[in-house]
Amino acid sequence: MISMWLSVIVMLVAFVNGARNEDDVEPCAKVQTDSSVVPLGSAVTATCVIRKTCPLVVGQAFHIEWRLGEHLFPGNLSANESSIVSEVFIPSFNHTRSFLACRVRASTVQVVGGVEIRAGYPPEAPQNISCQTNLTTPNTLTCSWDPGQQETHLLTKYSLHTEIWDTNENFTYKLPAGVHRYIIPRTGFGLFSDMKIYVKAVNELGGTTSEPIVLEPVSAAKFDPPILKIQAVPRRYGCLQLSWSLSQQQAWMRDFRLNLEVRLKTADSRYWSEQPILVNQVKQAKSVDQCRLRPGTQYLAQIRVRFQQSPWSEWSRRQSGVTLETAPTGRLDSWTKVSEDPPHKQLNIKLFWKPSKQFRANGQNVSYIVTGKKLPGVNGKVCSTKENYCTFQLPEKAKKVYLRAVNAAGKSLPTEVRISRPKDRTVVSGVSVIPQDDRSLLVQWKSLVSSTLTGFVVEWRPLLKTDPSFTQFELTDRNKTNLGITGSFEPYKPYGISVYPRFKDGIGLPQTVNAYLRQKAPSMVPKIQIKKSWQSHVELTWDEIPLDQRNGNIQSYKVFYCDKQGTINVVGAEPGKRRVVLKGLDTESVYEAFMMVSTSGGSTNGSTIHFKIEPFDAVAVVTFLTVSVVGMSFLLIIVIMTCFSNQKRLKQRFCPAVPDPANSSIKRWTSESTQDSHLDWDNEEPNPMYLSHLSFLEFPVKLSKEDDDAWLSNVEDTSDLGDSICGSPFLPGYTGSNCDSVPYATVIFSGPCDNPTSKDPHAYLRSESTQPLLETEESFTPKCYQNMATDEQCFFGPCHDCVPEKGTDPRILWDDFPFLRALALNDSQID
């Protein structure tokens, strides 16, 4: 388009600059060249002829130059009588299309003429001509070819030529530019007549013709996919019968012999047989038998057909067939996991198995039985299942079991399975798993040298599925420390992979890792929780991510937090822990925090939380401590006062309470006040009737009457009984044994004072005293007191006028001596 407009502009300029006559107008210049289309890269020569009468050159100095695209070329200048001639030579024309202009440079630069030059390549000979006949209605013959790899940059036209030899008819079919395929109608060929076919290509630089091909259209026919049927061959094991036919539109060729290709695969296989089976020259009325197949196995089959060397048809639809069954053959690979149950003297067995390379099920409905006996007729079946595992119990002394495969045709030979007990031995370490491709993982491990080591068991299972049937295993020898495992692994799903060492006498401890085929960022991030805060620290915790949302092995937990100034800090959790402690926080700032969880496949950020550290109140703490100390001190004082104030009360609880004559007046003793001398534990005030100076003597045996008389007759010795308590440490002026005062009386018990169980009355002995007992009593004439141990009266001390009297009423004596009445403590009062 640009070149065309340039041509128009040049012609207009030439017209404007031309000499005007009355009759016509002639241009100032003409540009001529050998050809406007040249091979790309070839040399180009052009000539510019300018009339001498052209106003641009008349009467002024001028210069002629050539312009090709953006480049200027000098020209050779010559002249004759009527014109000025300039010739230019371009050694290599490297433009597919460009404008070559002739210009006159005087006071101005003017284009006086020009020419457009195009360049390219002559066409290549068409190659790879192929024709295919369509046998459906209407019949057609489609031919196509390859125009070549080189671009011509020029308009190239193709034509298809056919010559039918039987009829000597020739046909030429012209094609639109750029089309390299043509459909020949049914009138242009005969199905069984040979014909010659070739293609011509032509452009402005020349033409060429392809190599011709000769074919019979029917031999170039591509049939429709055939129809296939499969069934087992009666009484022939491992054979399938294939019956086939052409489509309804091509059924007219049923009498022709065609070539067949058959491909097969088992129903559980992903790939077809590597090399299809070729069957030549077969009529569609005849079936084809395929043998040497596995008995009792379901196969899928497809066929395709062609006539002589015609193109193969598309594969037929898949059809399935099952060969006749036979008893299973070969052995099974097995793996046992044993746990002991000592209380019941049993073994818990979990047995897994899979077909070995030599095993053939030879049937469709295959089940498995486990027996404790080798002979199949002997009872002892412990398990029967259609799964690939079985769980059962055996006696503690069991050594082996036998595994068999069973189908409708029979049983396989038994596979002996030894019961390998667990051993507390660890020789496997450093287990790692590396993805290899979209279907396999590489398991690697390290092993210690052990003379009893026989091999390894690599076990793997999906952790999100609990059914044991998904467990798979592989057995390896002792010299191997890596294994590629292949299965239906899903990306982003966790798999537990364990490596067990096998010993001659058992199975060692495994090493287990979690692995992923591919990993990505976790699907969720747990919520951050503030567990506790103190001063400038905060402890953050979070829950564990559910296994189905991890999408990989968690590599790190990182907590990002920033204050109001925008300062960002990062704290990572320790491996295996779900807590971090943020330190050095400011009580004046409100913090934002979020957590990032990472796997090797990516990271995910959680939601943001806001928190603030409460300021530390020193005054409140000091006040709290002060109140606490004062309160504890007050409580301690109360406890001490209570202990000291209750000392007498505690003492009286364990020893009898006796009225104290020093703190009381005998005149105030009434019969009512002396009836009960027990301490009132509920009353806070002490009983005013207690005696403060008493001496308690304990005797191992009960005193006889003779002993009583001996005590009563020896008056002088009674003063010694009160020496041990002659003074009281609770009274002023207490000086130990050197005291001026002595007890008034001594109470004699027949048993311990803290356990007065004796029912006999107590004995009271008068003691000498330097103090008057009563206000009206003189110290040198003591009164006679009644001895409570006898019915007789006597004096405590020297009294010659006192004569014992018998038959005196005790109640009269008690009224005269209320002090002794108070000392008459019965058993209940002592308690």
Side-chain angles (χ1 to χ4, degrees):
M1 182 64 70
I2 295 176
S3 301
M4 182 181 69
W5 282 107
L6 285 175
S7 301
V8 173
I9 292 172
V10 170
M11 297 306 295
L12 289 175
V13 171
F15 176 78
V16 172
N17 294 330
R20 291 180 175 83
N21 296 326
E22 293 181 356
D23 298 330
D24 57 355
V25 177
E26 295 182 3
C28 279
K30 294 182 179 180
V31 177
Q32 300 176 350
T33 184
D34 295 339
S35 175
S36 62
V37 179
V38 298
L40 190 63
S42 63
V44 174
T45 301
T47 303
C48 181
V49 180
I50 302 174
R51 290 187 301 105
K52 288 185 177 182
T53 59
C54 181
L56 297 177
V57 298
V58 174
Q60 59 179 333
F62 64 90
H63 175 71
I64 299 176
E65 63 183 14
W66 294 84
R67 182 180 180 90
L68 179 64
E70 300 297 329
H71 301 281
L72 296 177
F73 296 90
N76 299 325
L77 188 63
S78 62
N80 56 29
E81 295 180 355
S82 60
S83 60
I84 300 170
V85 180
S86 177
E87 187 178 46
V88 67
F89 176 76
I90 301 174
S92 178
F93 190 85
N94 294 321
H95 303 274
T96 59
R97 190 168 191 166
S98 185
F99 190 81
L100 180 62
C102 175
R103 305 194 309 179
V104 175
R105 181 181 293 273
S107 59
T108 60
V109 178
Q110 295 290 335
V111 176
V112 295
V115 64
E116 184 184 32
I117 301 175
R118 292 180 292 118
Y121 300 103
E124 293 184 15
Q127 301 174 357
N128 301 324
I129 299 177
S130 62
C131 296
Q132 179 178 308
T133 304
N134 178 26
L135 295 180
T136 58
T137 304
N139 297 148
T140 57
L141 179 63
T142 302
C143 295
S144 60
W145 59 90
D146 185 2
Q149 300 298 324
Q150 190 178 33
E151 175 64 38
T152 63
H153 303 292
L154 299 172
L155 180 61
T156 303
K157 297 180 179 180
Y158 294 90
S159 60
L160 177 65
H161 302 265
T162 63
E163 297 177 5
I164 302 176
W165 290 354
D166 291 348
T167 60
N168 293 322
E169 292 180 292
N170 297 333
F171 296 91
T172 300
Y173 306 98
K174 294 183 178 181
L175 281 67
V179 176
H180 312 125
R181 181 174 179 269
Y182 189 78
I183 300 177
I184 302 174
R186 179 69 179 87
T187 57
F189 67 92
L191 286 176
F192 300 96
S193 298
D194 291 337
M195 60 189 302
K196 178 181 178 181
I197 302 174
Y198 59 93
V199 178
K200 286 184 178 181
V202 179
N203 64 14
E204 293 174 282
L205 293 179
T208 185
T209 303
S210 68
E211 290 291 334
I213 62 170
V214 178
L215 59 82
E216 183 184 20
V218 71
S219 299
K222 181 176 181 179
F223 290 85
D224 293 337
I227 301 171
L228 176 65
K229 294 181 180 180
I230 301 179
Q231 62 182 2
V233 180
R235 296 183 298 276
R236 294 183 64 185
Y237 296 100
C239 291
L240 290 176
Q241 186 179 77
L242 280 64
S243 302
W244 61 279
S245 61
L246 295 175
S247 65
Q248 185 176 0
Q249 291 182 343
Q250 300 166 359
W252 57 272
M253 292 197 64
R254 59 181 176 272
D255 294 332
F256 290 86
R257 293 184 177 271
L258 303 179
N259 299 327
L260 273 69
E261 270 192 347
V262 182
R263 66 180 183 181
L264 299 165
K265 72 172 184 177
T266 58
D268 57 353
S269 176
R270 298 180 58 186
Y271 305 101
W272 295 98
S273 55
E274 296 181 0
Q275 187 65 36
I277 303 171
L278 178 62
V279 182
N280 292 321
Q281 302 297 312
V282 180
K283 290 184 178 182
Q284 63 177 333
K286 185 178 180 181
S287 61
V288 177
D289 292 344
Q290 292 294 315
C291 296
R292 295 187 177 182
L293 304 178
R294 298 178 185 176
T297 304
Q298 182 181 11
Y299 282 89
L300 300 178
Q302 288 181 312
I303 65 170
R304 61 182 181 179
V305 298
R306 72 176 182 178
F307 179 73
Q308 297 181 359
Q309 299 302 317
S310 70
W312 286 105
S313 70
E314 298 298 328
W315 290 102
S316 67
R317 290 187 177 183
R318 295 188 305 178
Q319 298 296 329
S320 64
V322 180
T323 57
L324 296 179
E325 292 187 358
T326 61
T329 58
R331 62 183 305 275
L332 296 165
D333 290 336
S334 61
W335 151 236
T336 57
K337 300 173 74 172
V338 182
S339 61
E340 298 180 350
D341 187 7
H344 299 87
K345 295 183 179 181
Q346 288 184 332
L347 299 176
N348 297 321
I349 310 295
K350 184 173 287 187
L351 175 61
F352 299 90
W353 57 82
K354 67 175 184 177
S356 65
K357 293 181 179 180
Q358 298 80 22
F359 178 80
R360 298 292 181 266
N362 298 334
Q364 292 299 297
N365 298 320
V366 180
S367 61
Y368 303 90
I369 58 173
V370 180
T371 61
K373 302 295 183 180
K374 187 173 183 179
L375 298 178
V378 179
N379 292 331
K381 181 168 64 175
V382 296
C383 181
S384 177
T385 181
K386 290 187 177 182
E387 302 291 341
N388 62 342
Y389 75 97
C390 188
T391 301
F392 52 89
Q393 291 182 332
L394 290 177
E396 193 175 28
K397 296 182 179 180
K399 300 296 183 181
K400 61 183 71 174
V401 294
Y402 298 91
L403 175 65
R404 293 178 177 85
V406 182
N407 63 13
K411 298 179 181 179
S412 68
L413 295 176
T415 298
E416 182 179 285
V417 180
R418 294 187 176 273
I419 306 302
S420 301
R421 287 169 170 76
K423 299 296 178 182
D424 190 11
R425 303 177 193 171
T426 302
V427 298
V428 177
S429 63
V431 178
S432 62
V433 180
I434 303 174
Q436 287 186 304
D437 52 37
D438 292 339
R439 298 185 62 252
S440 63
L441 299 170
L442 177 62
V443 185
Q444 299 174 321
W445 65 89
K446 297 178 181 178
S447 174
L448 300 177
V449 178
S450 175
S451 59
T452 59
L453 183 66
T454 60
F456 301 95
V457 179
V458 179
E459 179 189 81
W460 65 95
R461 61 184 180 87
L463 297 180
L464 300 180
K465 299 177 181 179
T466 59
D467 191 347
S469 63
F470 292 102
T471 301
Q472 301 184 58
F473 66 93
E474 192 71 41
L475 307 177
T476 66
D477 55 42
R478 58 178 296 178
N479 298 322
K480 204 166 186 179
T481 57
N482 62 79
L483 177 67
I485 56 178
T486 303
S488 56
F489 295 109
E490 299 181 52
Y492 321 126
K493 302 296 183 183
Y495 291 86
I497 300 179
S498 302
V499 180
Y500 291 80
R502 292 187 300 161
F503 300 100
K504 295 179 180 179
D505 56 348
I507 301 295
L509 298 178
Q511 289 291 315
T512 303
V513 296
N514 292 350
Y516 291 81
L517 183 66
R518 285 200 303 271
Q519 301 188 41
K520 65 178 181 179
S523 300
M524 62 88 68
V525 176
K527 184 178 180 181
I528 300 177
Q529 301 173 359
I530 300 177
K531 185 175 183 181
K532 63 180 179 178
S533 62
W534 66 100
Q535 297 182 359
S536 62
H537 299 356
V538 168
E539 181 180 358
L540 304 178
T541 61
W542 54 89
D543 296 331
E544 189 175 13
I545 301 177
L547 187 61
D548 59 341
Q549 300 190 44
R550 297 179 190 175
N551 301 330
N553 291 317
I554 302 299
Q555 292 185 335
S556 65
Y557 294 95
K558 292 182 180 179
V559 176
F560 295 78
Y561 66 98
C562 62
D563 53 17
K564 60 183 179 181
Q565 287 78 21
T567 304
I568 300 178
N569 300 279
V570 183
V571 177
E574 297 180 8
K577 294 186 178 180
R578 299 189 303 277
R579 61 178 292 274
V580 295
V581 178
L582 310 184
K583 300 180 180 180
L585 303 181
D586 185 7
T587 58
E588 301 297 329
S589 297
V590 177
Y591 289 88
E592 293 184 359
F594 69 90
M595 184 168 62
M596 181 176 72
V597 184
S598 301
T599 67
S600 62
S603 302
T604 303
N605 295 337
S607 58
T608 302
I609 66 169
H610 298 79
F611 65 90
K612 182 179 180 181
I613 302 296
E614 296 297 331
F616 180 72
D617 192 350
V619 176
V621 173
V622 172
T623 303
F624 173 75
L625 293 177
T626 303
V627 173
S628 300
V629 171
V630 172
M632 292 298 295
S633 301
F634 183 71
L635 180 61
L636 183 61
I637 292 172
I638 292 176
V639 172
I640 294 175
M641 293 180 64
T642 302
C643 292
F644 279 99
S645 63
N646 292 336
Q647 183 178 7
K648 293 182 180 180
R649 187 178 306 175
L650 295 174
K651 180 178 179 181
Q652 293 299 330
R653 184 167 182 85
F654 297 99
C655 295
V658 181
D660 187 356
N663 297 324
S664 62
S665 174
I666 199 168
K667 294 179 179 180
R668 296 196 302 267
W669 293 355
T670 62
S671 61
E672 291 83 2
S673 63
T674 58
Q675 288 177 359
D676 189 4
S677 60
H678 275 288
L679 175 65
D680 187 4
W681 297 106
D682 298 331
N683 191 358
E684 296 297 332
E685 296 297 330
N687 195 325
M689 295 185 299
Y690 298 158
L691 298 177
S692 61
H693 292 73
L694 293 176
S695 176
F696 297 89
L697 299 182
E698 298 180 0
F699 287 84
V701 295
K702 180 180 179 181
L703 296 175
S704 63
K705 185 172 181 63
E706 291 76 12
D707 295 334
D708 293 340
D709 296 338
W711 279 95
L712 296 175
S713 62
N714 193 357
V715 181
E716 289 80 11
D717 295 336
T718 59
S719 60
D720 297 335
L721 297 174
D723 291 342
S724 61
I725 56 170
C726 64
S728 176
F730 300 97
L731 298 177
Y734 171 74
T735 58
S737 61
N738 298 327
C739 59
D740 297 332
S741 62
V742 295
Y744 290 104
T746 298
V747 183
I748 302 175
F749 292 90
S750 62
C753 65
D754 56 351
N755 187 24
T757 58
S758 176
K759 297 183 180 180
D760 296 335
H762 309 299
Y764 298 86
L765 299 180
R766 172 72 178 178
S767 176
E768 298 292 339
S769 174
T770 57
Q771 299 295 331
L773 182 61
L774 300 174
E775 295 179 356
T776 59
E777 184 182 9
E778 296 180 359
S779 60
F780 60 91
T781 56
K783 297 290 185 180
C784 293
Y785 291 89
Q786 181 181 4
N787 192 333
M788 300 302 297
T790 62
D791 294 336
E792 299 177 354
Q793 295 183 3
C794 68
F795 294 101
F796 291 94
C799 182
H800 303 287
D801 299 333
C802 183
V803 178
E805 297 180 1
K806 297 183 179 180
T808 307
D809 189 358
R811 290 176 296 180
I812 300 176
L813 296 177
W814 280 121
D815 294 334
D816 295 337
F817 300 95
F819 173 70
L820 295 180
R821 178 184 176 184
L823 295 178
L825 304 177
N826 54 32
D827 294 339
S828 62
Q829 291 172 329
I830 294 175
D831 295 335

mmCIF file of all heavy atoms in Angstrom, residues 392-406:
data_model
loop_
_atom_site.group_PDB
_atom_site.id
_atom_site.type_symbol
_atom_site.label_atom_id
_atom_site.label_comp_id
_atom_site.label_asym_id
_atom_site.label_seq_id
_atom_site.Cartn_x
_atom_site.Cartn_y
_atom_site.Cartn_z
ATOM 1 N N PHE A 392 -6.278 -61.961 62.415
ATOM 2 C CA PHE A 392 -6.694 -63.131 63.180
ATOM 3 C C PHE A 392 -5.746 -63.316 64.357
ATOM 4 O O PHE A 392 -4.759 -62.588 64.523
ATOM 5 C CB PHE A 392 -6.711 -64.381 62.292
ATOM 6 C CG PHE A 392 -5.428 -64.613 61.527
ATOM 7 C CD1 PHE A 392 -4.390 -65.361 62.072
ATOM 8 C CD2 PHE A 392 -5.262 -64.069 60.263
ATOM 9 C CE1 PHE A 392 -3.223 -65.570 61.378
ATOM 10 C CE2 PHE A 392 -4.086 -64.269 59.558
ATOM 11 C CZ PHE A 392 -3.069 -65.016 60.115
ATOM 12 N N GLN A 393 -6.059 -64.313 65.187
ATOM 13 C CA GLN A 393 -5.251 -64.642 66.356
ATOM 14 C C GLN A 393 -4.775 -66.088 66.258
ATOM 15 O O GLN A 393 -5.475 -66.948 65.711
ATOM 16 C CB GLN A 393 -6.047 -64.444 67.646
ATOM 17 C CG GLN A 393 -6.350 -62.977 67.961
ATOM 18 C CD GLN A 393 -7.103 -62.818 69.261
ATOM 19 O OE1 GLN A 393 -7.844 -63.713 69.677
ATOM 20 N NE2 GLN A 393 -6.912 -61.688 69.923
ATOM 21 N N LEU A 394 -3.585 -66.300 66.806
ATOM 22 C CA LEU A 394 -2.993 -67.629 66.827
ATOM 23 C C LEU A 394 -2.455 -67.929 68.208
ATOM 24 O O LEU A 394 -2.166 -66.994 68.985
ATOM 25 C CB LEU A 394 -1.854 -67.726 65.804
ATOM 26 C CG LEU A 394 -2.236 -67.702 64.317
ATOM 27 C CD1 LEU A 394 -0.972 -67.739 63.473
ATOM 28 C CD2 LEU A 394 -3.148 -68.870 63.955
ATOM 29 N N PRO A 395 -2.302 -69.201 68.539
ATOM 30 C CA PRO A 395 -1.654 -69.530 69.814
ATOM 31 C C PRO A 395 -0.227 -68.980 69.868
ATOM 32 O O PRO A 395 0.409 -68.739 68.837
ATOM 33 C CB PRO A 395 -1.674 -71.067 69.834
ATOM 34 C CG PRO A 395 -2.771 -71.446 68.904
ATOM 35 C CD PRO A 395 -2.809 -70.399 67.844
ATOM 36 N N GLU A 396 0.255 -68.794 71.053
ATOM 37 C CA GLU A 396 1.559 -68.163 71.251
ATOM 38 C C GLU A 396 2.687 -68.983 70.619
ATOM 39 O O GLU A 396 3.717 -68.427 70.219
ATOM 40 C CB GLU A 396 1.794 -67.989 72.753
ATOM 41 C CG GLU A 396 2.952 -67.081 73.101
ATOM 42 C CD GLU A 396 3.054 -66.854 74.586
ATOM 43 O OE1 GLU A 396 2.629 -67.747 75.354
ATOM 44 O OE2 GLU A 396 3.560 -65.809 74.997
ATOM 45 N N LYS A 397 2.507 -70.288 70.494
ATOM 46 C CA LYS A 397 3.566 -71.150 69.967
ATOM 47 C C LYS A 397 3.484 -71.332 68.451
ATOM 48 O O LYS A 397 4.272 -72.095 67.880
ATOM 49 C CB LYS A 397 3.503 -72.521 70.648
ATOM 50 C CG LYS A 397 3.784 -72.467 72.143
ATOM 51 C CD LYS A 397 3.752 -73.864 72.752
ATOM 52 C CE LYS A 397 4.048 -73.815 74.247
ATOM 53 N NZ LYS A 397 4.024 -75.178 74.849
ATOM 54 N N ALA A 398 2.552 -70.646 67.773
ATOM 55 C CA ALA A 398 2.400 -70.815 66.325
ATOM 56 C C ALA A 398 3.646 -70.313 65.607
ATOM 57 O O ALA A 398 4.217 -69.288 65.951
ATOM 58 C CB ALA A 398 1.163 -70.074 65.836
ATOM 59 N N LYS A 399 4.066 -71.038 64.579
ATOM 60 C CA LYS A 399 5.283 -70.702 63.825
ATOM 61 C C LYS A 399 4.989 -70.253 62.400
ATOM 62 O O LYS A 399 5.723 -69.456 61.842
ATOM 63 C CB LYS A 399 6.220 -71.922 63.789
ATOM 64 C CG LYS A 399 6.663 -72.418 65.157
ATOM 65 C CD LYS A 399 7.494 -71.380 65.893
ATOM 66 C CE LYS A 399 7.978 -71.941 67.234
ATOM 67 N NZ LYS A 399 8.768 -70.934 67.990
ATOM 68 N N LYS A 400 3.926 -70.779 61.791
ATOM 69 C CA LYS A 400 3.657 -70.465 60.394
ATOM 70 C C LYS A 400 2.183 -70.688 60.088
ATOM 71 O O LYS A 400 1.466 -71.389 60.819
ATOM 72 C CB LYS A 400 4.519 -71.309 59.464
ATOM 73 C CG LYS A 400 4.282 -72.808 59.590
ATOM 74 C CD LYS A 400 5.216 -73.607 58.703
ATOM 75 C CE LYS A 400 6.632 -73.559 59.218
ATOM 76 N NZ LYS A 400 7.539 -74.456 58.456
ATOM 77 N N VAL A 401 1.729 -70.080 58.990
ATOM 78 C CA VAL A 401 0.400 -70.311 58.433
ATOM 79 C C VAL A 401 0.561 -70.491 56.930
ATOM 80 O O VAL A 401 1.646 -70.287 56.366
ATOM 81 C CB VAL A 401 -0.569 -69.150 58.746
ATOM 82 C CG1 VAL A 401 -0.860 -69.054 60.227
ATOM 83 C CG2 VAL A 401 -0.012 -67.824 58.224
ATOM 84 N N TYR A 402 -0.543 -70.857 56.271
ATOM 85 C CA TYR A 402 -0.503 -71.144 54.842
ATOM 86 C C TYR A 402 -1.589 -70.329 54.138
ATOM 87 O O TYR A 402 -2.749 -70.298 54.570
ATOM 88 C CB TYR A 402 -0.689 -72.639 54.589
ATOM 89 C CG TYR A 402 0.407 -73.456 55.217
ATOM 90 C CD1 TYR A 402 0.267 -73.953 56.521
ATOM 91 C CD2 TYR A 402 1.596 -73.716 54.537
ATOM 92 C CE1 TYR A 402 1.281 -74.697 57.110
ATOM 93 C CE2 TYR A 402 2.604 -74.456 55.123
ATOM 94 C CZ TYR A 402 2.451 -74.941 56.404
ATOM 95 O OH TYR A 402 3.464 -75.664 56.992
ATOM 96 N N LEU A 403 -1.187 -69.667 53.054
ATOM 97 C CA LEU A 403 -2.059 -68.771 52.301
ATOM 98 C C LEU A 403 -2.346 -69.368 50.930
ATOM 99 O O LEU A 403 -1.421 -69.808 50.229
ATOM 100 C CB LEU A 403 -1.388 -67.396 52.169
ATOM 101 C CG LEU A 403 -2.084 -66.345 51.309
ATOM 102 C CD1 LEU A 403 -3.434 -65.957 51.920
ATOM 103 C CD2 LEU A 403 -1.192 -65.115 51.169
ATOM 104 N N ARG A 404 -3.624 -69.399 50.539
ATOM 105 C CA ARG A 404 -4.029 -69.944 49.247
ATOM 106 C C ARG A 404 -4.982 -68.971 48.544
ATOM 107 O O ARG A 404 -5.749 -68.270 49.208
ATOM 108 C CB ARG A 404 -4.740 -71.291 49.408
ATOM 109 C CG ARG A 404 -3.868 -72.431 49.913
ATOM 110 C CD ARG A 404 -4.695 -73.687 50.082
ATOM 111 N NE ARG A 404 -3.902 -74.838 50.489
ATOM 112 C CZ ARG A 404 -3.586 -75.108 51.758
ATOM 113 N NH1 ARG A 404 -4.023 -74.322 52.736
ATOM 114 N NH2 ARG A 404 -2.857 -76.171 52.037
ATOM 115 N N ALA A 405 -4.913 -68.949 47.208
ATOM 116 C CA ALA A 405 -5.875 -68.222 46.380
ATOM 117 C C ALA A 405 -6.883 -69.220 45.833
ATOM 118 O O ALA A 405 -6.518 -70.332 45.433
ATOM 119 C CB ALA A 405 -5.170 -67.498 45.244
ATOM 120 N N VAL A 406 -8.155 -68.816 45.782
ATOM 121 C CA VAL A 406 -9.238 -69.717 45.399
ATOM 122 C C VAL A 406 -10.108 -69.026 44.357
ATOM 123 O O VAL A 406 -10.447 -67.844 44.495
ATOM 124 C CB VAL A 406 -10.097 -70.114 46.619
ATOM 125 C CG1 VAL A 406 -11.186 -71.089 46.209
ATOM 126 C CG2 VAL A 406 -9.226 -70.709 47.719
#
